């Protein structure tokens, strides 16, 4: 990717094509947010319901999840560039290293949200607290341990 | 992968080769644990120091991380099978869905730990609280927000 679209203070690096491991999308996440501009800055646990829709072959893997109060959802931020080592987000006084930010721009754009589980319905999991665009591909669901780690 | 090595109550599914997205390993994680048998069941924040060693091109992406107390580390559990929808871990009375477990066996074996940051040294991040084998490939580091989400 070229240097197009980067801001003053941002630094990109040249990288070979990524192919150290390969992911499988296992479902899709339905949220009320059609575009990034529609998304809240941070999800809230009293936000609107969102639906994690698993591909049918993974439905049996939800067994037992109904007893879990909070989960971690991992997803793929497929719109994100992956070659910035420093970034200059709006509202930050100076450029910052990618690993000091939760920006979707990262070498492996894996998104991670901790959310409240509302209910499981067949191959779908209803949650509150997501903050990204409708149609985002799902990578994983993990239960939060009880008692939750600090 | 065949049904070899699965336990009673475990269910596997046939899957095409995974290739919906591709990952880049950006470093390696050094822990005191040479094999899975050596690993603690769960990392502790007063456990031994571990070192996240970034590939040199990613070192500038650590700028600002020294001010962060706790981070999330994402890594690739490259020894894990990926085709089980239910699992029967030792000590569980009945088989459980993969998404109700934090087992490394999952469709996308991305490991996730929240750990205390001890210090940043050049391209290395020293932490406490990891619980997996030495040499695990690194995928991402994310700061925990302050104040931390509940």
């Amino acid at each position: 990717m070229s240097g197009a679209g980067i801001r003053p203070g941002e630094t990109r690096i040249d990288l070979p094509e990524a192919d150290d491991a390969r992911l499988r999308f296992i479902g899709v996440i339905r949220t009320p947010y059609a575009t990034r501009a529609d998304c809240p800055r941070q999800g809230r646990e009293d936000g609107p319901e969102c639906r994690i829709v698993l591909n049918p072959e993974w439905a049996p893997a939800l067994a037992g999840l109904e007893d879990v109060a909070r989960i971690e959802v991992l997803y793929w931020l497929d719109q994100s560039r992956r070659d910035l080592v420093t970034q200059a987000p709006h509202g930050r006084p100076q450029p910052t290293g990618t690993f000091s930010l939760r920006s979707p721009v990262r070498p492996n754009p894996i998104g991670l949200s901790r959310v409240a589980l509302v209910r499981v319905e067949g191959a779908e999991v209803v949650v509150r607290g997501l903050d990204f665009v409708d149609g985002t591909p799902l990578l994983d669901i993990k239960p939060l341990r009880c008692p939750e780690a600090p």
Side-chain angles (χ1 to χ4, degrees), chain A:
Chain A
M1 196 179 288
S2 77
I6 73 175
R7 291 195 273 255
E10 296 191 328
T11 316
R12 64 171 296 280
I13 54 177
D14 282 312
L15 292 164
E17 195 176 354
D19 194 13
D20 294 310
R22 297 184 179 191
L23 297 172
R24 179 189 309 288
F25 296 162
I26 58 171
V28 69
I29 305 173
R30 314 303 332 201
T31 74
Y33 315 117
T35 70
R36 279 198 65 184
D38 299 328
C39 297
R41 186 170 152 74
Q42 189 170 340
R44 294 165 51 107
E45 299 227 334
D46 59 356
E49 287 188 357
C50 302
R51 301 184 81 84
I52 301 169
V53 182
L54 285 157
N55 297 345
E57 66 272 23
W58 290 102
L62 294 175
L65 197 68
E66 64 278 3
D67 297 329
V68 173
R70 300 188 72 239
I71 58 175
E72 288 171 325
V73 182
L74 281 75
Y75 43 92
W76 187 249
L77 297 160
D78 54 2
Q79 308 292 311
S80 300
R81 67 186 297 158
R82 303 171 64 170
D83 61 347
L84 294 192
V85 292
T86 65
Q87 301 177 46
H90 295 294
R92 285 240 176 189
Q94 57 189 41
T96 307
T98 289
F99 301 131
S100 304
L101 296 168
R102 293 189 72 95
S103 155
V105 172
R106 29 208 340 111
N108 294 295
I110 299 167
L112 166 61
S113 297
R114 300 188 142 199
V115 293
L117 191 151
V118 178
R119 62 187 178 277
V120 178
E121 292 179 351
E124 303 191 8
V125 182
V126 181
V127 301
R128 294 183 191 273
L130 297 178
D131 56 11
F132 49 83
V133 295
D134 185 48
T136 296
L138 176 69
L139 296 176
D140 197 9
I141 297 171
K142 297 180 196 286
L144 280 166
R145 284 193 186 95
C146 286
E148 187 174 333

